[in-house]
DNA sequence: GGCGTTATGTACGATTCAGTTAATAATGTG
DNA sequence: CACATTATTAACTGAATCGTACATAACGCC
Protein backbone atom coordinates (compact mmCIF):
# COMPACT_ATOMS: atom_id res chain seq x y z
CA UNK A 1 0.00 0.00 0.00
CA UNK A 2 2.61 2.44 1.14
CA UNK A 3 4.83 1.46 -1.72
CA UNK A 4 1.96 1.80 -4.17
CA UNK A 5 1.08 5.20 -2.82
CA UNK A 6 4.68 6.25 -2.99
CA UNK A 7 4.86 5.23 -6.61
CA UNK A 8 1.73 7.22 -7.36
CA UNK A 9 3.12 10.27 -5.63
CA UNK A 10 6.36 9.88 -7.47
CA UNK A 11 4.41 9.77 -10.68
CA UNK A 12 2.56 12.90 -9.74
CA UNK A 13 5.83 14.60 -8.96
CA UNK A 14 7.19 13.38 -12.22
CA UNK A 15 4.14 14.51 -14.08
CA UNK A 16 4.68 17.97 -12.74
CA UNK A 17 7.79 18.07 -14.87
CA UNK A 18 7.29 15.42 -17.54
CA UNK A 19 3.73 14.75 -18.52
CA UNK A 20 3.40 13.49 -22.08
CA UNK A 21 -0.33 12.82 -21.80
CA UNK A 22 -0.93 16.18 -20.21
CA UNK A 23 1.01 17.88 -22.97
CA UNK A 24 -1.01 16.04 -25.58
CA UNK A 25 -4.28 16.96 -23.95
CA UNK A 26 -3.17 20.56 -23.61
CA UNK A 27 -2.28 20.75 -27.28
CA UNK A 28 -5.54 19.07 -28.29
CA UNK A 29 -7.65 21.43 -26.21
CA UNK A 30 -5.98 24.53 -27.61
CA UNK A 31 -6.06 23.13 -31.14
CA UNK A 32 -9.78 22.34 -30.83
CA UNK A 33 -10.41 25.96 -29.98
CA UNK A 34 -8.28 27.22 -32.86
CA UNK A 35 -9.60 24.79 -35.48
CA UNK A 36 -13.23 25.18 -34.49
CA UNK A 37 -12.93 28.93 -34.68
CA UNK A 38 -10.91 29.21 -37.88
CA UNK A 39 -11.25 26.00 -39.81
CA UNK A 40 -8.45 23.79 -41.09
CA UNK A 41 -6.78 26.27 -43.42
CA UNK A 42 -7.61 29.25 -41.23
CA UNK A 43 -6.04 27.79 -38.10
CA UNK A 44 -2.45 28.77 -37.34
CA UNK A 45 0.00 26.31 -35.87
CA UNK A 46 2.01 29.17 -34.44
CA UNK A 47 -1.10 30.47 -32.72
CA UNK A 48 -1.81 27.07 -31.20
CA UNK A 49 1.79 26.78 -30.07
CA UNK A 50 1.70 30.20 -28.46
CA UNK A 51 -1.36 29.29 -26.41
CA UNK A 52 -0.10 25.97 -25.16
CA UNK A 53 2.29 25.69 -22.29
CA UNK A 54 4.58 23.85 -24.67
CA UNK A 55 6.16 24.69 -28.02
CA UNK A 56 5.51 24.28 -31.72
CA UNK A 57 8.15 21.61 -31.88
CA UNK A 58 6.08 19.46 -29.54
CA UNK A 59 3.05 19.69 -31.80
CA UNK A 60 5.04 18.18 -34.61
CA UNK A 61 6.62 15.76 -32.20
CA UNK A 62 3.24 14.33 -31.18
CA UNK A 63 0.98 14.91 -34.18
CA UNK A 64 3.24 14.89 -37.21
CA UNK A 65 1.69 17.70 -39.17
CA UNK A 66 -1.25 20.07 -39.28
CA UNK A 67 -3.64 17.58 -40.82
CA UNK A 68 -2.66 14.95 -38.29
CA UNK A 69 -3.47 17.35 -35.50
CA UNK A 70 -6.77 18.32 -37.12
CA UNK A 71 -7.76 14.71 -37.48
CA UNK A 72 -7.03 13.97 -33.84
CA UNK A 73 -8.99 17.06 -32.80
CA UNK A 74 -11.93 15.84 -34.87
CA UNK A 75 -11.82 12.44 -33.24
CA UNK A 76 -11.57 14.08 -29.85
CA UNK A 77 -14.61 16.22 -30.59
CA UNK A 78 -16.70 13.18 -31.49
CA UNK A 79 -15.38 11.23 -28.51
CA UNK A 80 -16.23 13.98 -26.02
CA UNK A 81 -19.87 14.14 -27.02
CA UNK A 82 -20.47 10.42 -27.27
CA UNK A 83 -22.08 8.46 -24.50
CA UNK A 84 -24.58 10.63 -22.71
CA UNK A 85 -27.46 9.05 -24.55
CA UNK A 86 -26.68 5.76 -22.89
CA UNK A 87 -27.02 7.42 -19.48
CA UNK A 88 -30.48 8.76 -20.21
CA UNK A 89 -32.09 5.53 -18.99
CA UNK A 90 -34.92 5.83 -21.45
CA UNK A 91 -36.03 2.28 -20.77
CA UNK A 92 -37.45 3.31 -17.44
CA UNK A 93 -39.79 5.87 -18.96
CA UNK A 94 -43.00 5.51 -20.90
CA UNK A 95 -42.42 5.93 -24.65
CA UNK A 96 -43.76 9.47 -24.88
CA UNK A 97 -41.70 10.73 -21.96
CA UNK A 98 -38.65 8.89 -23.29
CA UNK A 99 -38.95 10.51 -26.70
CA UNK A 100 -39.42 13.95 -25.21
CA UNK A 101 -36.41 13.44 -22.99
CA UNK A 102 -34.30 12.28 -25.94
CA UNK A 103 -35.29 15.29 -28.02
CA UNK A 104 -34.62 17.76 -25.27
CA UNK A 105 -31.36 16.10 -24.39
CA UNK A 106 -30.17 16.26 -28.00
CA UNK A 107 -31.18 19.88 -28.38
CA UNK A 108 -29.46 20.98 -25.18
CA UNK A 109 -26.46 18.81 -25.81
CA UNK A 110 -25.80 20.40 -29.20
CA UNK A 111 -26.37 23.79 -27.69
CA UNK A 112 -23.80 23.20 -24.99
CA UNK A 113 -21.13 21.97 -27.41
CA UNK A 114 -20.64 24.65 -30.05
CA UNK A 115 -17.04 23.60 -30.66
CA UNK A 116 -18.22 20.14 -31.62
CA UNK A 117 -20.88 21.59 -33.92
CA UNK A 118 -18.33 23.82 -35.58
CA UNK A 119 -15.91 20.94 -36.08
CA UNK A 120 -18.67 18.97 -37.79
CA UNK A 121 -19.55 21.96 -39.96
CA UNK A 122 -15.92 22.32 -40.96
CA UNK A 123 -15.59 18.64 -41.65
CA UNK A 124 -18.65 18.81 -43.89
CA UNK A 125 -17.07 21.68 -45.79
CA UNK A 126 -14.23 19.24 -46.41
CA UNK A 127 -16.75 16.61 -47.57
CA UNK A 128 -15.90 14.44 -44.58
CA UNK A 129 -12.48 13.60 -45.97
CA UNK A 130 -10.68 13.44 -42.65
CA UNK A 131 -13.23 11.53 -40.63
CA UNK A 132 -12.99 8.75 -43.18
CA UNK A 133 -9.41 8.23 -42.07
CA UNK A 134 -10.52 7.72 -38.50
CA UNK A 135 -11.62 4.31 -37.29
CA UNK A 136 -13.43 5.10 -34.08
CA UNK A 137 -15.79 7.89 -35.09
CA UNK A 138 -18.14 5.67 -37.02
CA UNK A 139 -18.93 3.34 -34.19
CA UNK A 140 -19.73 5.95 -31.58
CA UNK A 141 -22.95 7.32 -32.99
CA UNK A 142 -24.64 4.07 -33.85
CA UNK A 143 -25.96 3.75 -30.32
CA UNK A 144 -28.20 6.77 -30.77
CA UNK A 145 -30.17 4.90 -33.41
CA UNK A 146 -30.52 1.80 -31.31
CA UNK A 147 -31.93 3.54 -28.28
CA UNK A 148 -34.29 5.48 -30.51
CA UNK A 149 -35.39 2.27 -32.16
CA UNK A 150 -36.16 0.72 -28.80
CA UNK A 151 -38.31 3.67 -27.77
CA UNK A 152 -40.17 3.60 -31.05
CA UNK A 153 -40.85 -0.09 -30.75
CA UNK A 154 -42.22 0.25 -27.25
CA UNK A 155 -44.42 3.10 -28.38
CA UNK A 156 -45.75 1.12 -31.28
CA UNK A 157 -46.48 -1.90 -29.12
CA UNK A 158 -48.39 0.33 -26.74
CA UNK A 159 -50.45 1.63 -29.64
CA UNK A 160 -49.18 5.16 -29.11
CA UNK A 161 -46.90 5.53 -32.12
CA UNK A 162 -47.60 4.98 -35.79
CA UNK A 163 -46.28 1.99 -37.68
CA UNK A 164 -43.81 2.37 -40.50
CA UNK A 165 -41.55 4.86 -38.78
CA UNK A 166 -37.86 4.76 -39.59
CA UNK A 167 -35.59 5.32 -36.57
CA UNK A 168 -32.74 6.57 -38.75
CA UNK A 169 -35.02 9.12 -40.34
CA UNK A 170 -36.29 10.24 -36.97
CA UNK A 171 -32.73 10.65 -35.77
CA UNK A 172 -32.07 12.70 -38.89
CA UNK A 173 -35.00 14.97 -38.05
CA UNK A 174 -34.07 15.47 -34.41
CA UNK A 175 -30.44 16.08 -35.35
CA UNK A 176 -31.36 18.53 -38.08
CA UNK A 177 -33.41 20.72 -35.76
CA UNK A 178 -30.87 20.58 -32.94
CA UNK A 179 -27.84 21.06 -35.15
CA UNK A 180 -29.20 23.91 -37.24
CA UNK A 181 -30.09 25.76 -34.08
CA UNK A 182 -26.40 26.11 -33.29
CA UNK A 183 -24.77 25.97 -36.69
CA UNK A 184 -26.86 28.67 -38.34
CA UNK A 185 -27.49 30.92 -35.38
CA UNK A 186 -25.25 33.69 -36.76
CA UNK A 187 -26.84 34.06 -40.20
CA UNK A 188 -30.38 33.34 -39.05
CA UNK A 189 -30.33 35.82 -36.21
CA UNK A 190 -28.74 38.47 -38.39
CA UNK A 191 -31.53 38.19 -40.96
CA UNK A 192 -34.52 37.56 -38.72
CA UNK A 193 -33.46 38.91 -35.34
CA UNK A 194 -32.16 37.05 -32.35
CA UNK A 195 -35.38 36.50 -30.44
CA UNK A 196 -35.30 32.75 -31.03
CA UNK A 197 -31.75 32.56 -29.71
CA UNK A 198 -32.33 34.32 -26.44
CA UNK A 199 -32.96 32.09 -23.40
CA UNK A 200 -36.75 32.29 -23.71
CA UNK A 201 -36.71 31.62 -27.40
CA UNK A 202 -34.39 28.66 -26.98
CA UNK A 203 -36.62 27.15 -24.33
CA UNK A 204 -39.57 27.52 -26.67
CA UNK A 205 -37.69 25.97 -29.56
CA UNK A 206 -36.53 23.10 -27.41
CA UNK A 207 -40.02 22.21 -26.24
CA UNK A 208 -41.46 22.67 -29.72
CA UNK A 209 -38.88 20.37 -31.25
CA UNK A 210 -40.02 17.67 -28.87
CA UNK A 211 -43.63 18.59 -29.59
CA UNK A 212 -43.06 18.42 -33.31
CA UNK A 213 -41.45 15.01 -33.13
CA UNK A 214 -44.20 13.70 -30.89
CA UNK A 215 -46.95 14.91 -33.18
CA UNK A 216 -45.08 13.28 -36.04
CA UNK A 217 -44.88 9.83 -34.48
CA UNK A 218 -48.18 9.65 -32.59
CA UNK A 219 -51.17 7.82 -33.97
CA UNK A 220 -53.89 10.11 -35.21
CA UNK A 221 -56.66 8.77 -33.02
CA UNK A 222 -55.21 7.13 -29.94
CA UNK A 223 -57.31 4.51 -28.21
CA UNK A 224 -57.78 5.87 -24.69
CA UNK A 225 -57.33 2.47 -23.14
CA UNK A 226 -54.01 1.65 -24.75
CA UNK B 1 -34.37 56.79 -81.46
CA UNK B 2 -32.04 55.70 -84.20
CA UNK B 3 -29.17 57.22 -82.37
CA UNK B 4 -30.22 55.35 -79.23
CA UNK B 5 -30.38 52.08 -81.12
CA UNK B 6 -27.06 52.68 -82.74
CA UNK B 7 -25.51 53.37 -79.41
CA UNK B 8 -26.87 50.13 -78.07
CA UNK B 9 -25.51 48.15 -80.98
CA UNK B 10 -22.18 49.82 -80.62
CA UNK B 11 -22.21 48.83 -77.01
CA UNK B 12 -22.90 45.23 -77.95
CA UNK B 13 -20.05 45.27 -80.42
CA UNK B 14 -17.84 46.87 -77.88
CA UNK B 15 -18.83 44.33 -75.28
CA UNK B 16 -17.57 41.61 -77.53
CA UNK B 17 -14.10 42.95 -76.88
CA UNK B 18 -14.52 44.93 -73.67
CA UNK B 19 -17.12 43.57 -71.38
CA UNK B 20 -16.68 44.79 -67.82
CA UNK B 21 -19.93 43.29 -66.59
CA UNK B 22 -19.16 39.99 -68.25
CA UNK B 23 -15.72 39.95 -66.69
CA UNK B 24 -17.21 40.67 -63.26
CA UNK B 25 -19.78 37.93 -63.63
CA UNK B 26 -17.14 35.51 -64.83
CA UNK B 27 -14.94 36.26 -61.84
CA UNK B 28 -17.86 35.98 -59.44
CA UNK B 29 -18.97 32.64 -60.83
CA UNK B 30 -15.50 31.14 -60.58
CA UNK B 31 -14.94 32.67 -57.16
CA UNK B 32 -18.22 31.24 -55.90
CA UNK B 33 -17.06 27.80 -56.89
CA UNK B 34 -13.67 28.27 -55.24
CA UNK B 35 -14.93 29.87 -52.02
CA UNK B 36 -17.81 27.45 -51.55
CA UNK B 37 -15.45 24.53 -51.97
CA UNK B 38 -12.54 25.80 -49.89
CA UNK B 39 -13.78 28.52 -47.58
CA UNK B 40 -12.40 32.01 -47.24
CA UNK B 41 -8.90 31.16 -46.09
CA UNK B 42 -8.78 27.98 -48.14
CA UNK B 43 -9.65 29.66 -51.42
CA UNK B 44 -6.78 30.71 -53.66
CA UNK B 45 -6.86 33.93 -55.62
CA UNK B 46 -4.40 32.50 -58.11
CA UNK B 47 -6.65 29.51 -58.62
CA UNK B 48 -9.64 31.75 -59.26
CA UNK B 49 -7.60 33.84 -61.66
CA UNK B 50 -6.42 30.78 -63.54
CA UNK B 51 -9.98 29.59 -64.10
CA UNK B 52 -11.34 32.89 -65.31
CA UNK B 53 -10.85 34.08 -68.81
CA UNK B 54 -9.22 37.15 -67.34
CA UNK B 55 -6.29 37.75 -65.01
CA UNK B 56 -5.56 38.15 -61.32
CA UNK B 57 -5.07 41.84 -61.88
CA UNK B 58 -8.74 42.18 -62.82
CA UNK B 59 -9.88 40.57 -59.58
CA UNK B 60 -8.11 43.25 -57.60
CA UNK B 61 -9.24 45.90 -60.06
CA UNK B 62 -12.90 45.06 -59.55
CA UNK B 63 -13.07 43.69 -56.03
CA UNK B 64 -10.22 45.31 -54.14
CA UNK B 65 -9.01 42.35 -52.16
CA UNK B 66 -9.84 38.78 -51.21
CA UNK B 67 -12.35 39.72 -48.54
CA UNK B 68 -14.07 42.13 -50.88
CA UNK B 69 -14.46 39.38 -53.43
CA UNK B 70 -15.71 36.96 -50.81
CA UNK B 71 -18.27 39.46 -49.63
CA UNK B 72 -19.59 40.02 -53.14
CA UNK B 73 -19.75 36.28 -53.71
CA UNK B 74 -21.78 35.91 -50.53
CA UNK B 75 -24.20 38.61 -51.64
CA UNK B 76 -24.44 36.98 -55.02
CA UNK B 77 -25.22 33.63 -53.44
CA UNK B 78 -28.09 35.11 -51.43
CA UNK B 79 -29.33 37.09 -54.42
CA UNK B 80 -29.43 34.07 -56.71
CA UNK B 81 -31.63 32.06 -54.41
CA UNK B 82 -34.02 34.83 -53.48
CA UNK B 83 -37.36 35.26 -55.17
CA UNK B 84 -38.69 31.87 -56.12
CA UNK B 85 -40.97 31.83 -53.13
CA UNK B 86 -42.83 34.79 -54.56
CA UNK B 87 -43.49 32.80 -57.71
CA UNK B 88 -45.07 29.90 -55.87
CA UNK B 89 -48.49 31.56 -55.96
CA UNK B 90 -49.47 30.06 -52.65
CA UNK B 91 -52.50 32.32 -52.42
CA UNK B 92 -54.28 30.28 -55.04
CA UNK B 93 -54.05 27.08 -53.04
CA UNK B 94 -55.86 25.87 -49.97
CA UNK B 95 -53.73 26.29 -46.81
CA UNK B 96 -52.72 22.65 -46.52
CA UNK B 97 -51.64 22.39 -50.14
CA UNK B 98 -49.86 25.73 -49.88
CA UNK B 99 -47.86 24.65 -46.85
CA UNK B 100 -46.92 21.35 -48.45
CA UNK B 101 -45.83 23.14 -51.58
CA UNK B 102 -43.74 25.61 -49.57
CA UNK B 103 -42.02 22.82 -47.64
CA UNK B 104 -41.27 20.81 -50.72
CA UNK B 105 -40.08 23.86 -52.58
CA UNK B 106 -37.71 24.82 -49.77
CA UNK B 107 -36.35 21.30 -49.46
CA UNK B 108 -35.72 20.94 -53.20
CA UNK B 109 -34.41 24.45 -53.52
CA UNK B 110 -31.74 23.90 -50.88
CA UNK B 111 -30.90 20.58 -52.44
CA UNK B 112 -30.40 22.15 -55.84
CA UNK B 113 -28.15 24.91 -54.53
CA UNK B 114 -25.30 23.28 -52.64
CA UNK B 115 -22.98 26.19 -53.35
CA UNK B 116 -25.35 28.54 -51.58
CA UNK B 117 -25.62 26.16 -48.64
CA UNK B 118 -21.87 25.91 -48.40
CA UNK B 119 -21.44 29.67 -48.52
CA UNK B 120 -23.90 30.02 -45.65
CA UNK B 121 -22.06 27.33 -43.68
CA UNK B 122 -18.79 29.12 -44.24
CA UNK B 123 -20.28 32.44 -43.28
CA UNK B 124 -21.58 30.91 -40.07
CA UNK B 125 -18.12 29.63 -39.30
CA UNK B 126 -17.09 33.28 -39.55
CA UNK B 127 -19.92 34.23 -37.18
CA UNK B 128 -21.66 36.11 -39.98
CA UNK B 129 -19.03 38.84 -39.94
CA UNK B 130 -19.10 39.54 -43.65
CA UNK B 131 -22.82 39.48 -44.25
CA UNK B 132 -23.15 42.25 -41.71
CA UNK B 133 -21.21 44.49 -44.05
CA UNK B 134 -23.72 43.86 -46.80
CA UNK B 135 -26.85 45.95 -47.06
CA UNK B 136 -29.04 43.91 -49.34
CA UNK B 137 -28.86 40.44 -47.84
CA UNK B 138 -31.08 41.23 -44.90
CA UNK B 139 -34.05 42.41 -46.91
CA UNK B 140 -34.20 39.49 -49.31
CA UNK B 141 -35.28 36.76 -46.94
CA UNK B 142 -37.98 38.62 -45.08
CA UNK B 143 -40.50 37.76 -47.77
CA UNK B 144 -40.34 34.10 -46.86
CA UNK B 145 -41.79 34.89 -43.44
CA UNK B 146 -44.56 37.00 -44.86
CA UNK B 147 -45.84 34.43 -47.30
CA UNK B 148 -45.66 31.80 -44.58
CA UNK B 149 -47.58 34.08 -42.25
CA UNK B 150 -50.32 34.52 -44.84
CA UNK B 151 -50.71 30.77 -45.30
CA UNK B 152 -50.86 30.21 -41.57
CA UNK B 153 -53.47 32.87 -41.14
CA UNK B 154 -55.68 31.41 -43.82
CA UNK B 155 -55.32 27.99 -42.30
CA UNK B 156 -56.26 29.26 -38.89
CA UNK B 157 -59.28 31.11 -40.21
CA UNK B 158 -60.41 27.93 -41.92
CA UNK B 159 -60.13 26.10 -38.61
CA UNK B 160 -57.46 23.79 -40.03
CA UNK B 161 -54.38 25.08 -38.19
CA UNK B 162 -53.78 25.62 -34.51
CA UNK B 163 -53.69 29.04 -32.95
CA UNK B 164 -50.55 30.46 -31.36
CA UNK B 165 -48.18 29.38 -34.11
CA UNK B 166 -45.17 31.55 -34.79
CA UNK B 167 -44.35 31.97 -38.51
CA UNK B 168 -40.71 32.75 -37.77
CA UNK B 169 -40.40 29.59 -35.75
CA UNK B 170 -42.04 27.57 -38.47
CA UNK B 171 -39.64 29.01 -40.99
CA UNK B 172 -36.81 28.04 -38.65
CA UNK B 173 -38.08 24.48 -38.56
CA UNK B 174 -38.54 24.12 -42.30
CA UNK B 175 -35.14 25.71 -42.93
CA UNK B 176 -33.42 23.49 -40.37
CA UNK B 177 -34.67 20.29 -41.97
CA UNK B 178 -33.96 21.46 -45.51
CA UNK B 179 -30.57 22.96 -44.73
CA UNK B 180 -29.21 20.11 -42.63
CA UNK B 181 -30.10 17.70 -45.42
CA UNK B 182 -27.47 19.33 -47.60
CA UNK B 183 -25.02 20.76 -45.11
CA UNK B 184 -24.45 17.57 -43.14
CA UNK B 185 -24.83 15.00 -45.88
CA UNK B 186 -21.14 14.10 -45.80
CA UNK B 187 -20.78 13.34 -42.11
CA UNK B 188 -24.24 11.87 -41.68
CA UNK B 189 -23.94 9.50 -44.59
CA UNK B 190 -20.48 8.43 -43.53
CA UNK B 191 -21.70 7.46 -40.08
CA UNK B 192 -25.14 6.08 -40.88
CA UNK B 193 -24.94 5.11 -44.53
CA UNK B 194 -26.14 7.01 -47.55
CA UNK B 195 -29.59 5.47 -47.98
CA UNK B 196 -31.34 8.71 -47.02
CA UNK B 197 -29.31 10.62 -49.59
CA UNK B 198 -30.07 8.45 -52.57
CA UNK B 199 -32.93 9.59 -54.82
CA UNK B 200 -35.53 7.40 -53.09
CA UNK B 201 -34.43 8.44 -49.63
CA UNK B 202 -34.48 12.10 -50.58
CA UNK B 203 -37.98 11.82 -51.95
CA UNK B 204 -39.08 10.18 -48.70
CA UNK B 205 -37.39 12.85 -46.60
CA UNK B 206 -38.93 15.60 -48.67
CA UNK B 207 -42.46 14.30 -48.27
CA UNK B 208 -41.94 13.56 -44.59
CA UNK B 209 -40.67 17.06 -43.92
CA UNK B 210 -43.93 18.39 -45.32
CA UNK B 211 -45.82 15.74 -43.38
CA UNK B 212 -44.03 16.63 -40.16
CA UNK B 213 -44.77 20.33 -40.55
CA UNK B 214 -48.41 19.64 -41.37
CA UNK B 215 -48.89 17.41 -38.36
CA UNK B 216 -47.29 20.12 -36.27
CA UNK B 217 -49.62 22.91 -37.36
CA UNK B 218 -52.90 21.04 -37.78
CA UNK B 219 -55.58 21.09 -35.13
CA UNK B 220 -55.86 17.84 -33.21
CA UNK B 221 -59.52 17.19 -33.95
CA UNK B 222 -60.55 18.95 -37.13
CA UNK B 223 -64.21 19.74 -37.58
CA UNK B 224 -65.14 17.90 -40.77
CA UNK B 225 -67.31 20.75 -41.96
CA UNK B 226 -64.68 23.47 -41.70
C1' DG C 1 -6.87 62.50 -83.73
C1' DG C 2 -5.02 63.60 -79.34
C1' DC C 3 -6.11 62.75 -74.36
C1' DG C 4 -8.16 61.23 -70.25
C1' DT C 5 -10.42 57.19 -68.53
C1' DT C 6 -11.18 52.51 -68.25
C1' DA C 7 -9.56 47.99 -68.82
C1' DT C 8 -5.92 44.35 -69.04
C1' DG C 9 -1.47 41.53 -68.83
C1' DT C 10 3.15 40.45 -66.78
C1' DA C 11 6.27 40.19 -63.59
C1' DC C 12 7.72 40.96 -59.24
C1' DG C 13 7.77 42.12 -54.19
C1' DA C 14 6.67 41.08 -49.56
C1' DT C 15 4.82 38.33 -46.24
C1' DT C 16 2.94 34.62 -44.07
C1' DC C 17 3.30 30.13 -42.49
C1' DA C 18 4.01 25.01 -42.37
C1' DG C 19 7.52 22.38 -41.25
C1' DT C 20 12.82 21.61 -40.09
C1' DT C 21 17.35 21.86 -38.08
C1' DA C 22 20.31 21.65 -34.57
C1' DA C 23 21.69 22.05 -30.18
C1' DT C 24 20.62 20.91 -25.52
C1' DA C 25 18.93 19.00 -21.46
C1' DA C 26 16.03 16.73 -18.14
C1' DT C 27 14.14 12.38 -16.83
C1' DG C 28 13.49 7.61 -16.36
C1' DT C 29 15.18 2.60 -17.19
C1' DG C 30 17.88 -1.39 -17.35
C1' DC D 1 26.19 4.98 -15.95
C1' DA D 2 24.70 4.17 -20.80
C1' DC D 3 20.76 5.11 -23.40
C1' DA D 4 16.09 5.95 -24.92
C1' DT D 5 12.40 8.98 -24.29
C1' DT D 6 10.55 13.39 -23.51
C1' DA D 7 10.99 18.12 -23.71
C1' DT D 8 12.53 23.05 -25.08
C1' DT D 9 14.25 26.94 -27.76
C1' DA D 10 15.41 29.81 -31.50
C1' DA D 11 16.58 30.46 -35.87
C1' DC D 12 15.85 29.03 -40.42
C1' DT D 13 14.03 27.32 -45.07
C1' DG D 14 11.27 27.23 -48.77
C1' DA D 15 7.04 27.25 -50.73
C1' DA D 16 2.73 29.32 -51.19
C1' DT D 17 0.24 33.26 -51.97
C1' DC D 18 -1.71 37.92 -51.35
C1' DG D 19 -1.16 42.03 -53.37
C1' DT D 20 1.28 45.71 -56.40
C1' DA D 21 4.21 48.29 -59.86
C1' DC D 22 4.50 49.11 -64.26
C1' DA D 23 3.51 49.01 -68.91
C1' DT D 24 -0.06 49.32 -72.29
C1' DA D 25 -4.10 48.72 -74.98
C1' DA D 26 -8.81 50.01 -76.12
C1' DC D 27 -12.38 53.18 -75.90
C1' DG D 28 -15.09 57.69 -75.55
C1' DC D 29 -15.17 62.44 -76.00
C1' DC D 30 -14.24 66.92 -77.73
Amino acid sequence: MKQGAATKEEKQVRQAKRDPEGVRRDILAVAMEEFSQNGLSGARIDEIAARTRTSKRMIYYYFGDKEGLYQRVLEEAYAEVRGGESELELDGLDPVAALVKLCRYTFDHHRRNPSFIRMVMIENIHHGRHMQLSENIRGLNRLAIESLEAVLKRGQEAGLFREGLNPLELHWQISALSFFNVSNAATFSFIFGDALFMPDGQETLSSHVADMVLRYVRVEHPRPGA
Side-chain angles (χ1 to χ4, degrees), chain A:
Chain A
M1 271 269 276
K2 201 165 188 182
Q3 215 179 27
T7 309
K8 221 168 198 174
E9 278 168 39
E10 277 170 26
K11 267 183 184 168
Q12 283 177 343
V13 172
R14 183 194 58 167
Q15 284 177 351
K17 301 198 166 183
R18 311 203 43 174
D19 183 8
E21 264 316 301
V23 171
R24 284 177 65 96
R25 280 199 310 272
D26 183 29
I27 293 173
L28 278 177
V30 175
M32 170 106 62
E33 195 52 35
E34 175 75 5
F35 279 122
S36 71
Q37 282 300 312
N38 306 106
L40 174 51
S41 52
R44 297 288 164 255
I45 293 283
D46 286 318
E47 185 62 26
I48 295 170
R51 292 194 195 166
T52 36
R53 60 175 148 82
T54 180
S55 66
K56 181 158 79 155
R57 183 68 189 80
M58 283 295 95
I59 295 171
Y60 287 95
Y61 183 74
Y62 282 120
F63 299 99
D65 59 5
K66 195 185 188 183
E67 292 229 343
L69 178 57
Y70 171 84
Q71 197 184 313
R72 280 305 328 273
V73 166
L74 186 66
E75 283 182 25
E76 192 65 16
Y78 271 96
E80 275 178 19
V81 299
R82 71 133 194 276
E85 270 115 359
S86 49
E87 289 143 27
L88 283 178
E89 312 234 357
L90 300 179
D91 293 345
L93 300 169
D94 72 280
V96 170
L99 195 51
V100 169
K101 188 170 185 181
L102 181 62
C103 288
R104 283 187 160 267
Y105 171 80
T106 304
F107 189 90
D108 293 341
H109 189 257
H110 280 60
R111 189 165 150 63
R112 277 198 311 272
N113 290 280
S115 291
F116 167 70
I117 300 290
R118 295 173 67 83
M119 289 302 298
V120 175
M121 291 166 75
I122 290 162
E123 183 58 10
N124 272 293
I125 291 292
H126 293 292
H127 303 279
R129 269 187 225 110
H130 310 88
M131 81 190 306
Q132 288 169 19
L133 304 173
S134 164
E135 303 301 325
N136 16 5
I137 290 180
R138 206 174 205 144
L140 297 178
N141 299 64
R142 303 295 186 109
L143 300 173
I145 304 293
E146 286 169 27
S147 60
L148 187 50
E149 193 165 16
V151 172
L152 276 190
K153 195 166 189 176
R154 286 198 295 125
Q156 287 166 335
E157 283 166 359
L160 295 167
F161 297 166
R162 296 190 283 133
E163 297 294 325
L165 294 168
N166 178 357
L168 180 58
E169 200 187 313
L170 210 58
H171 177 72
W172 178 94
Q173 289 158 340
I174 297 169
S175 295
L177 296 162
S178 302
F179 194 98
F180 180 90
N181 181 55
V182 183
S183 68
N184 286 50
T187 54
F188 196 96
S189 70
F190 172 71
I191 294 175
F192 299 110
D194 60 3
L196 293 181
F197 301 94
M198 298 286 97
D200 283 3
Q202 288 284 288
E203 175 53 31
T204 303
L205 287 182
S206 176
S207 74
H208 287 186
V209 164
D211 189 27
M212 193 174 195
V213 170
L214 260 189
R215 286 172 189 268
Y216 180 68
V217 302
R218 261 210 272 242
V219 294
E220 287 81 355
H221 305 292
R223 304 272 159 268

